[in-house]
Amino acid sequence: MIEVSTDILWLLMAAAFFAGIVDSIAGGGGLITLPVLVIAGAPPLTAIATNKVQGVFGAAMAAFAYARGGHVNLHRQWKAACIAFAAAIIGALLTSSLPTEVIRLGLPVLLIAIALFFALKPGLNDLDRTARVTPVVFTLTLVPLIGFYDGLIGPGAGSFYMIGFVGLAGYGVLKATAHTKLLNFASNAGGIVAYAVVAQPWWFVGLAMGAAQMAGAYVGSRLAMRIGARLIKPLVVIAATALALKLIWDMT
């Protein structure tokens, strides 16, 4: 059963395609798809759950494309992905019992800080730098923290993963982007598992938007691999700033 009219479904799929391009390059695709789901008539919790359903497909396609291009070894990330998956389930299940509004107050500050980091820090390119933490420490600390946040609230999780890979793991911008996708897929998948229990996603709409997300993610990842940091950096700045402004607007 289709939850919306055919015309609305096509508009949602168009938004998902564009979001797939943006998300595969810089993250922040939910900034596009979540509001349009609400405008289409989805209750807030249903919109969040449906957004997780469609978003997981885009993240999967982007992860596959970057792996095929040789920018990430997905086999080496499976443990981190499992941790992100489990942390996201816990976060989603605790949405109603934790002070999420308090967390939202701090998000604009963090997102603007990310935008300033990528806009102003010299030497950010596709070359790797010295790591500040070991892969084990990164996997056991930052990955579950962001995965938990992705299940609990979600917006900006891809940007947080990316800043971690650049600032702590020492990855170049393109390599960092590639490494965020499997983790984003895993935390989205964990959110789906939890929200399928506590909410009612629009499954048909989510799957249709997911197909469009996959197409957009393929296009976006190809562009990112061709152009690299020159494309990724400004889009990260734009996406993080736009999300911060939206969160501030929602509070007013």
Side-chain angles (χ1 to χ4, degrees):
M1 179 179 177
I2 303 177
E3 297 91 349
V4 296
S5 67
T6 303
D7 291 344
I8 295 296
L9 181 62
W10 280 111
L11 291 174
L12 289 171
M13 290 177 67
F17 175 78
F18 182 64
I21 295 176
V22 173
D23 204 60
S24 64
I25 298 172
L31 180 65
I32 300 167
T33 51
L34 189 56
V36 298
L37 282 165
V38 173
I39 292 171
L45 197 57
T46 298
I48 293 171
T50 306
N51 192 52
K52 293 290 184 187
V53 172
Q54 61 91 35
V56 76
F57 289 93
M61 173 56 77
F64 173 78
Y66 283 118
R68 189 175 182 184
H71 298 286
V72 59
N73 185 331
L74 298 182
H75 295 293
R76 294 180 180 176
Q77 280 198 300
W78 73 268
K79 293 180 181 178
C82 289
I83 291 173
F85 176 81
I89 292 176
I90 296 170
L93 292 176
L94 292 177
T95 298
S96 61
S97 59
L98 290 179
T100 54
E101 289 306 313
V102 174
I103 298 172
R104 286 181 192 275
L105 290 174
L107 280 180
V109 176
L110 289 174
L111 288 165
I112 290 171
I114 289 173
L116 291 174
F117 176 83
F118 279 96
L120 302 178
K121 185 173 175 59
L124 279 184
N125 50 40
D126 292 325
L127 300 177
D128 290 351
R129 290 165 297 281
T130 302
R132 298 188 179 186
V133 298
T134 66
V136 172
V137 171
F138 185 92
T139 300
L140 294 180
T141 56
L142 202 69
V143 170
L145 181 63
I146 299 174
F148 177 82
Y149 163 78
D150 199 11
L152 185 69
I153 299 177
S159 298
F160 295 144
Y161 279 127
M162 187 174 177
I163 195 80
F165 278 116
V166 171
L168 297 178
Y171 289 179
V173 173
L174 177 58
K175 185 177 178 181
T177 299
H179 279 72
T180 65
K181 301 310 170 187
L182 182 61
L183 301 183
N184 232 166
F185 166 80
S187 52
N188 266 330
I192 291 172
V193 170
Y195 281 117
V197 176
V198 301
Q200 293 181 334
W202 284 355
W203 289 107
F204 189 95
V205 168
L207 293 173
M209 291 178 70
Q213 268 263 8
M214 290 179 71
Y218 178 80
V219 172
S221 57
R222 297 292 295 178
L223 285 171
M225 287 186 283
R226 183 179 303 173
I227 303 175
R230 291 182 292 115
L231 174 64
I232 298 170
K233 284 175 60 180
L235 275 183
V236 170
V237 173
I238 292 169
T241 303
L243 183 51
L245 292 175
K246 181 184 182 300
L247 290 170
I248 293 171
W249 174 267
D250 290 343
M251 295 174 195
T252 58

PDB file of all heavy atoms in Angstrom, residues 126-155:
ATOM      1  N   ASP A 126      43.677  15.840   0.201  1.00  0.00           N
ATOM      2  CA  ASP A 126      43.464  14.394   0.128  1.00  0.00           C
ATOM      3  C   ASP A 126      44.674  13.585   0.607  1.00  0.00           C
ATOM      4  O   ASP A 126      44.705  12.354   0.440  1.00  0.00           O
ATOM      5  CB  ASP A 126      43.106  13.999  -1.315  1.00  0.00           C
ATOM      6  CG  ASP A 126      41.741  14.545  -1.724  1.00  0.00           C
ATOM      7  OD1 ASP A 126      40.857  14.605  -0.849  1.00  0.00           O
ATOM      8  OD2 ASP A 126      41.573  14.915  -2.890  1.00  0.00           O
ATOM      9  N   LEU A 127      45.670  14.253   1.187  1.00  0.00           N
ATOM     10  CA  LEU A 127      46.844  13.557   1.701  1.00  0.00           C
ATOM     11  C   LEU A 127      46.644  13.187   3.166  1.00  0.00           C
ATOM     12  O   LEU A 127      46.122  13.976   3.958  1.00  0.00           O
ATOM     13  CB  LEU A 127      48.093  14.435   1.562  1.00  0.00           C
ATOM     14  CG  LEU A 127      48.465  14.865   0.133  1.00  0.00           C
ATOM     15  CD1 LEU A 127      49.675  15.791   0.161  1.00  0.00           C
ATOM     16  CD2 LEU A 127      48.737  13.637  -0.743  1.00  0.00           C
ATOM     17  N   ASP A 128      47.066  11.979   3.545  1.00  0.00           N
ATOM     18  CA  ASP A 128      46.971  11.546   4.940  1.00  0.00           C
ATOM     19  C   ASP A 128      47.990  12.279   5.796  1.00  0.00           C
ATOM     20  O   ASP A 128      49.061  12.696   5.319  1.00  0.00           O
ATOM     21  CB  ASP A 128      47.212  10.038   5.054  1.00  0.00           C
ATOM     22  CG  ASP A 128      46.070   9.222   4.473  1.00  0.00           C
ATOM     23  OD1 ASP A 128      45.028   9.816   4.150  1.00  0.00           O
ATOM     24  OD2 ASP A 128      46.235   7.995   4.321  1.00  0.00           O
ATOM     25  N   ARG A 129      47.656  12.423   7.081  1.00  0.00           N
ATOM     26  CA  ARG A 129      48.553  13.041   8.047  1.00  0.00           C
ATOM     27  C   ARG A 129      48.768  12.075   9.210  1.00  0.00           C
ATOM     28  O   ARG A 129      48.188  10.987   9.224  1.00  0.00           O
ATOM     29  CB  ARG A 129      47.956  14.362   8.559  1.00  0.00           C
ATOM     30  CG  ARG A 129      47.939  15.465   7.522  1.00  0.00           C
ATOM     31  CD  ARG A 129      47.036  16.624   7.924  1.00  0.00           C
ATOM     32  NE  ARG A 129      45.643  16.183   8.030  1.00  0.00           N
ATOM     33  CZ  ARG A 129      44.849  16.011   6.980  1.00  0.00           C
ATOM     34  NH1 ARG A 129      45.307  16.226   5.762  1.00  0.00           N
ATOM     35  NH2 ARG A 129      43.615  15.606   7.131  1.00  0.00           N
ATOM     36  N   THR A 130      49.560  12.489  10.179  1.00  0.00           N
ATOM     37  CA  THR A 130      49.843  11.636  11.333  1.00  0.00           C
ATOM     38  C   THR A 130      48.579  11.474  12.178  1.00  0.00           C
ATOM     39  O   THR A 130      47.922  12.465  12.524  1.00  0.00           O
ATOM     40  CB  THR A 130      50.955  12.243  12.199  1.00  0.00           C
ATOM     41  OG1 THR A 130      52.121  12.416  11.398  1.00  0.00           O
ATOM     42  CG2 THR A 130      51.280  11.327  13.365  1.00  0.00           C
ATOM     43  N   ALA A 131      48.264  10.230  12.517  1.00  0.00           N
ATOM     44  CA  ALA A 131      47.081   9.961  13.341  1.00  0.00           C
ATOM     45  C   ALA A 131      47.341  10.383  14.781  1.00  0.00           C
ATOM     46  O   ALA A 131      48.452  10.234  15.295  1.00  0.00           O
ATOM     47  CB  ALA A 131      46.739   8.486  13.278  1.00  0.00           C
ATOM     48  N   ARG A 132      46.312  10.888  15.442  1.00  0.00           N
ATOM     49  CA  ARG A 132      46.438  11.303  16.837  1.00  0.00           C
ATOM     50  C   ARG A 132      46.004  10.207  17.804  1.00  0.00           C
ATOM     51  O   ARG A 132      46.338  10.257  18.984  1.00  0.00           O
ATOM     52  CB  ARG A 132      45.607  12.556  17.085  1.00  0.00           C
ATOM     53  CG  ARG A 132      46.053  13.745  16.257  1.00  0.00           C
ATOM     54  CD  ARG A 132      45.351  15.015  16.654  1.00  0.00           C
ATOM     55  NE  ARG A 132      45.812  16.148  15.874  1.00  0.00           N
ATOM     56  CZ  ARG A 132      45.452  17.402  16.079  1.00  0.00           C
ATOM     57  NH1 ARG A 132      44.599  17.683  17.067  1.00  0.00           N
ATOM     58  NH2 ARG A 132      45.917  18.374  15.334  1.00  0.00           N
ATOM     59  N   VAL A 133      45.231   9.233  17.311  1.00  0.00           N
ATOM     60  CA  VAL A 133      44.834   8.092  18.132  1.00  0.00           C
ATOM     61  C   VAL A 133      45.004   6.820  17.299  1.00  0.00           C
ATOM     62  O   VAL A 133      45.031   6.877  16.067  1.00  0.00           O
ATOM     63  CB  VAL A 133      43.360   8.197  18.615  1.00  0.00           C
ATOM     64  CG1 VAL A 133      43.163   9.425  19.490  1.00  0.00           C
ATOM     65  CG2 VAL A 133      42.398   8.217  17.434  1.00  0.00           C
ATOM     66  N   THR A 134      45.097   5.696  17.968  1.00  0.00           N
ATOM     67  CA  THR A 134      45.213   4.428  17.259  1.00  0.00           C
ATOM     68  C   THR A 134      43.843   4.010  16.711  1.00  0.00           C
ATOM     69  O   THR A 134      42.808   4.460  17.211  1.00  0.00           O
ATOM     70  CB  THR A 134      45.738   3.330  18.186  1.00  0.00           C
ATOM     71  OG1 THR A 134      44.744   3.080  19.204  1.00  0.00           O
ATOM     72  CG2 THR A 134      47.054   3.734  18.831  1.00  0.00           C
ATOM     73  N   PRO A 135      43.824   3.137  15.703  1.00  0.00           N
ATOM     74  CA  PRO A 135      42.530   2.658  15.185  1.00  0.00           C
ATOM     75  C   PRO A 135      41.661   2.009  16.254  1.00  0.00           C
ATOM     76  O   PRO A 135      40.433   2.153  16.234  1.00  0.00           O
ATOM     77  CB  PRO A 135      42.950   1.648  14.108  1.00  0.00           C
ATOM     78  CG  PRO A 135      44.291   2.117  13.645  1.00  0.00           C
ATOM     79  CD  PRO A 135      44.949   2.665  14.879  1.00  0.00           C
ATOM     80  N   VAL A 136      42.287   1.300  17.198  1.00  0.00           N
ATOM     81  CA  VAL A 136      41.514   0.644  18.259  1.00  0.00           C
ATOM     82  C   VAL A 136      40.828   1.678  19.151  1.00  0.00           C
ATOM     83  O   VAL A 136      39.645   1.559  19.471  1.00  0.00           O
ATOM     84  CB  VAL A 136      42.429  -0.280  19.099  1.00  0.00           C
ATOM     85  CG1 VAL A 136      41.671  -0.811  20.309  1.00  0.00           C
ATOM     86  CG2 VAL A 136      42.946  -1.431  18.254  1.00  0.00           C
ATOM     87  N   VAL A 137      41.562   2.690  19.549  1.00  0.00           N
ATOM     88  CA  VAL A 137      40.988   3.742  20.394  1.00  0.00           C
ATOM     89  C   VAL A 137      39.873   4.462  19.650  1.00  0.00           C
ATOM     90  O   VAL A 137      38.807   4.740  20.209  1.00  0.00           O
ATOM     91  CB  VAL A 137      42.083   4.744  20.836  1.00  0.00           C
ATOM     92  CG1 VAL A 137      41.456   5.956  21.525  1.00  0.00           C
ATOM     93  CG2 VAL A 137      43.073   4.061  21.763  1.00  0.00           C
ATOM     94  N   PHE A 138      40.091   4.751  18.377  1.00  0.00           N
ATOM     95  CA  PHE A 138      39.077   5.419  17.563  1.00  0.00           C
ATOM     96  C   PHE A 138      37.797   4.588  17.503  1.00  0.00           C
ATOM     97  O   PHE A 138      36.696   5.105  17.690  1.00  0.00           O
ATOM     98  CB  PHE A 138      39.629   5.632  16.151  1.00  0.00           C
ATOM     99  CG  PHE A 138      38.732   6.427  15.238  1.00  0.00           C
ATOM    100  CD1 PHE A 138      38.867   7.798  15.144  1.00  0.00           C
ATOM    101  CD2 PHE A 138      37.757   5.804  14.480  1.00  0.00           C
ATOM    102  CE1 PHE A 138      38.035   8.546  14.300  1.00  0.00           C
ATOM    103  CE2 PHE A 138      36.921   6.533  13.642  1.00  0.00           C
ATOM    104  CZ  PHE A 138      37.063   7.909  13.558  1.00  0.00           C
ATOM    105  N   THR A 139      37.959   3.288  17.281  1.00  0.00           N
ATOM    106  CA  THR A 139      36.809   2.392  17.138  1.00  0.00           C
ATOM    107  C   THR A 139      36.046   2.227  18.438  1.00  0.00           C
ATOM    108  O   THR A 139      34.810   2.113  18.439  1.00  0.00           O
ATOM    109  CB  THR A 139      37.269   1.019  16.628  1.00  0.00           C
ATOM    110  OG1 THR A 139      37.901   1.184  15.351  1.00  0.00           O
ATOM    111  CG2 THR A 139      36.106   0.053  16.484  1.00  0.00           C
ATOM    112  N   LEU A 140      36.755   2.233  19.555  1.00  0.00           N
ATOM    113  CA  LEU A 140      36.106   1.980  20.843  1.00  0.00           C
ATOM    114  C   LEU A 140      35.562   3.232  21.522  1.00  0.00           C
ATOM    115  O   LEU A 140      34.845   3.130  22.515  1.00  0.00           O
ATOM    116  CB  LEU A 140      37.094   1.284  21.791  1.00  0.00           C
ATOM    117  CG  LEU A 140      37.518  -0.126  21.384  1.00  0.00           C
ATOM    118  CD1 LEU A 140      38.504  -0.698  22.400  1.00  0.00           C
ATOM    119  CD2 LEU A 140      36.304  -1.049  21.251  1.00  0.00           C
ATOM    120  N   THR A 141      35.906   4.407  20.994  1.00  0.00           N
ATOM    121  CA  THR A 141      35.452   5.651  21.624  1.00  0.00           C
ATOM    122  C   THR A 141      34.542   6.455  20.698  1.00  0.00           C
ATOM    123  O   THR A 141      33.342   6.587  20.942  1.00  0.00           O
ATOM    124  CB  THR A 141      36.653   6.511  22.057  1.00  0.00           C
ATOM    125  OG1 THR A 141      37.510   6.757  20.924  1.00  0.00           O
ATOM    126  CG2 THR A 141      37.450   5.818  23.149  1.00  0.00           C
ATOM    127  N   LEU A 142      35.103   6.976  19.625  1.00  0.00           N
ATOM    128  CA  LEU A 142      34.330   7.873  18.769  1.00  0.00           C
ATOM    129  C   LEU A 142      33.211   7.152  18.017  1.00  0.00           C
ATOM    130  O   LEU A 142      32.097   7.688  17.887  1.00  0.00           O
ATOM    131  CB  LEU A 142      35.266   8.560  17.765  1.00  0.00           C
ATOM    132  CG  LEU A 142      34.715   9.868  17.185  1.00  0.00           C
ATOM    133  CD1 LEU A 142      34.662  10.948  18.256  1.00  0.00           C
ATOM    134  CD2 LEU A 142      35.548  10.334  16.006  1.00  0.00           C
ATOM    135  N   VAL A 143      33.476   5.957  17.529  1.00  0.00           N
ATOM    136  CA  VAL A 143      32.469   5.239  16.740  1.00  0.00           C
ATOM    137  C   VAL A 143      31.190   4.964  17.549  1.00  0.00           C
ATOM    138  O   VAL A 143      30.085   5.284  17.088  1.00  0.00           O
ATOM    139  CB  VAL A 143      33.051   3.937  16.148  1.00  0.00           C
ATOM    140  CG1 VAL A 143      31.938   3.069  15.548  1.00  0.00           C
ATOM    141  CG2 VAL A 143      34.093   4.265  15.081  1.00  0.00           C
ATOM    142  N   PRO A 144      31.276   4.383  18.742  1.00  0.00           N
ATOM    143  CA  PRO A 144      30.029   4.165  19.499  1.00  0.00           C
ATOM    144  C   PRO A 144      29.355   5.463  19.930  1.00  0.00           C
ATOM    145  O   PRO A 144      28.125   5.529  19.994  1.00  0.00           O
ATOM    146  CB  PRO A 144      30.475   3.348  20.711  1.00  0.00           C
ATOM    147  CG  PRO A 144      31.939   3.578  20.825  1.00  0.00           C
ATOM    148  CD  PRO A 144      32.437   3.790  19.434  1.00  0.00           C
ATOM    149  N   LEU A 145      30.144   6.492  20.203  1.00  0.00           N
ATOM    150  CA  LEU A 145      29.567   7.775  20.612  1.00  0.00           C
ATOM    151  C   LEU A 145      28.712   8.368  19.486  1.00  0.00           C
ATOM    152  O   LEU A 145      27.563   8.777  19.702  1.00  0.00           O
ATOM    153  CB  LEU A 145      30.682   8.746  21.003  1.00  0.00           C
ATOM    154  CG  LEU A 145      30.238  10.128  21.486  1.00  0.00           C
ATOM    155  CD1 LEU A 145      29.421  10.014  22.768  1.00  0.00           C
ATOM    156  CD2 LEU A 145      31.454  11.021  21.711  1.00  0.00           C
ATOM    157  N   ILE A 146      29.256   8.389  18.267  1.00  0.00           N
ATOM    158  CA  ILE A 146      28.521   8.953  17.134  1.00  0.00           C
ATOM    159  C   ILE A 146      27.381   8.024  16.721  1.00  0.00           C
ATOM    160  O   ILE A 146      26.299   8.488  16.354  1.00  0.00           O
ATOM    161  CB  ILE A 146      29.466   9.237  15.957  1.00  0.00           C
ATOM    162  CG1 ILE A 146      30.535  10.245  16.370  1.00  0.00           C
ATOM    163  CG2 ILE A 146      28.679   9.765  14.754  1.00  0.00           C
ATOM    164  CD1 ILE A 146      31.601  10.489  15.324  1.00  0.00           C
ATOM    165  N   GLY A 147      27.610   6.713  16.787  1.00  0.00           N
ATOM    166  CA  GLY A 147      26.538   5.766  16.483  1.00  0.00           C
ATOM    167  C   GLY A 147      25.364   5.937  17.424  1.00  0.00           C
ATOM    168  O   GLY A 147      24.204   5.928  17.000  1.00  0.00           O
ATOM    169  N   PHE A 148      25.656   6.108  18.703  1.00  0.00           N
ATOM    170  CA  PHE A 148      24.605   6.347  19.698  1.00  0.00           C
ATOM    171  C   PHE A 148      23.849   7.626  19.373  1.00  0.00           C
ATOM    172  O   PHE A 148      22.612   7.655  19.395  1.00  0.00           O
ATOM    173  CB  PHE A 148      25.236   6.446  21.093  1.00  0.00           C
ATOM    174  CG  PHE A 148      24.264   6.751  22.201  1.00  0.00           C
ATOM    175  CD1 PHE A 148      23.507   5.739  22.772  1.00  0.00           C
ATOM    176  CD2 PHE A 148      24.094   8.046  22.657  1.00  0.00           C
ATOM    177  CE1 PHE A 148      22.606   6.018  23.794  1.00  0.00           C
ATOM    178  CE2 PHE A 148      23.204   8.343  23.664  1.00  0.00           C
ATOM    179  CZ  PHE A 148      22.452   7.325  24.240  1.00  0.00           C
ATOM    180  N   TYR A 149      24.594   8.674  19.046  1.00  0.00           N
ATOM    181  CA  TYR A 149      23.959   9.944  18.684  1.00  0.00           C
ATOM    182  C   TYR A 149      23.088   9.784  17.432  1.00  0.00           C
ATOM    183  O   TYR A 149      21.985  10.338  17.359  1.00  0.00           O
ATOM    184  CB  TYR A 149      25.022  11.018  18.446  1.00  0.00           C
ATOM    185  CG  TYR A 149      24.475  12.193  17.683  1.00  0.00           C
ATOM    186  CD1 TYR A 149      23.699  13.152  18.322  1.00  0.00           C
ATOM    187  CD2 TYR A 149      24.679  12.314  16.306  1.00  0.00           C
ATOM    188  CE1 TYR A 149      23.147  14.209  17.625  1.00  0.00           C
ATOM    189  CE2 TYR A 149      24.123  13.361  15.601  1.00  0.00           C
ATOM    190  CZ  TYR A 149      23.360  14.303  16.264  1.00  0.00           C
ATOM    191  OH  TYR A 149      22.804  15.325  15.555  1.00  0.00           O
ATOM    192  N   ASP A 150      23.576   9.027  16.453  1.00  0.00           N
ATOM    193  CA  ASP A 150      22.821   8.846  15.213  1.00  0.00           C
ATOM    194  C   ASP A 150      21.480   8.171  15.479  1.00  0.00           C
ATOM    195  O   ASP A 150      20.466   8.507  14.869  1.00  0.00           O
ATOM    196  CB  ASP A 150      23.635   8.018  14.214  1.00  0.00           C
ATOM    197  CG  ASP A 150      23.138   8.165  12.787  1.00  0.00           C
ATOM    198  OD1 ASP A 150      22.311   9.057  12.535  1.00  0.00           O
ATOM    199  OD2 ASP A 150      23.581   7.407  11.919  1.00  0.00           O
ATOM    200  N   GLY A 151      21.461   7.205  16.393  1.00  0.00           N
ATOM    201  CA  GLY A 151      20.195   6.577  16.756  1.00  0.00           C
ATOM    202  C   GLY A 151      19.321   7.487  17.596  1.00  0.00           C
ATOM    203  O   GLY A 151      18.101   7.510  17.442  1.00  0.00           O
ATOM    204  N   LEU A 152      19.938   8.279  18.459  1.00  0.00           N
ATOM    205  CA  LEU A 152      19.198   9.130  19.390  1.00  0.00           C
ATOM    206  C   LEU A 152      18.561  10.328  18.683  1.00  0.00           C
ATOM    207  O   LEU A 152      17.370  10.614  18.871  1.00  0.00           O
ATOM    208  CB  LEU A 152      20.142   9.639  20.484  1.00  0.00           C
ATOM    209  CG  LEU A 152      19.529  10.454  21.617  1.00  0.00           C
ATOM    210  CD1 LEU A 152      18.661   9.588  22.497  1.00  0.00           C
ATOM    211  CD2 LEU A 152      20.638  11.109  22.438  1.00  0.00           C
ATOM    212  N   ILE A 153      19.343  11.027  17.850  1.00  0.00           N
ATOM    213  CA  ILE A 153      18.855  12.231  17.174  1.00  0.00           C
ATOM    214  C   ILE A 153      19.119  12.159  15.671  1.00  0.00           C
ATOM    215  O   ILE A 153      18.213  12.238  14.870  1.00  0.00           O
ATOM    216  CB  ILE A 153      19.501  13.501  17.764  1.00  0.00           C
ATOM    217  CG1 ILE A 153      19.148  13.627  19.257  1.00  0.00           C
ATOM    218  CG2 ILE A 153      19.048  14.732  16.999  1.00  0.00           C
ATOM    219  CD1 ILE A 153      19.786  14.801  19.937  1.00  0.00           C
ATOM    220  N   GLY A 154      20.410  12.044  15.282  1.00  0.00           N
ATOM    221  CA  GLY A 154      20.738  11.773  13.890  1.00  0.00           C
ATOM    222  C   GLY A 154      21.366  12.867  13.065  1.00  0.00           C
ATOM    223  O   GLY A 154      22.391  12.633  12.425  1.00  0.00           O
ATOM    224  N   PRO A 155      20.805  14.091  12.986  1.00  0.00           N
ATOM    225  CA  PRO A 155      21.342  15.080  12.059  1.00  0.00           C
ATOM    226  C   PRO A 155      22.820  15.379  12.292  1.00  0.00           C
ATOM    227  O   PRO A 155      23.251  15.605  13.414  1.00  0.00           O
ATOM    228  CB  PRO A 155      20.493  16.331  12.352  1.00  0.00           C
ATOM    229  CG  PRO A 155      19.226  15.800  12.908  1.00  0.00           C
ATOM    230  CD  PRO A 155      19.608  14.593  13.687  1.00  0.00           C
TER     231      PRO A 155
END
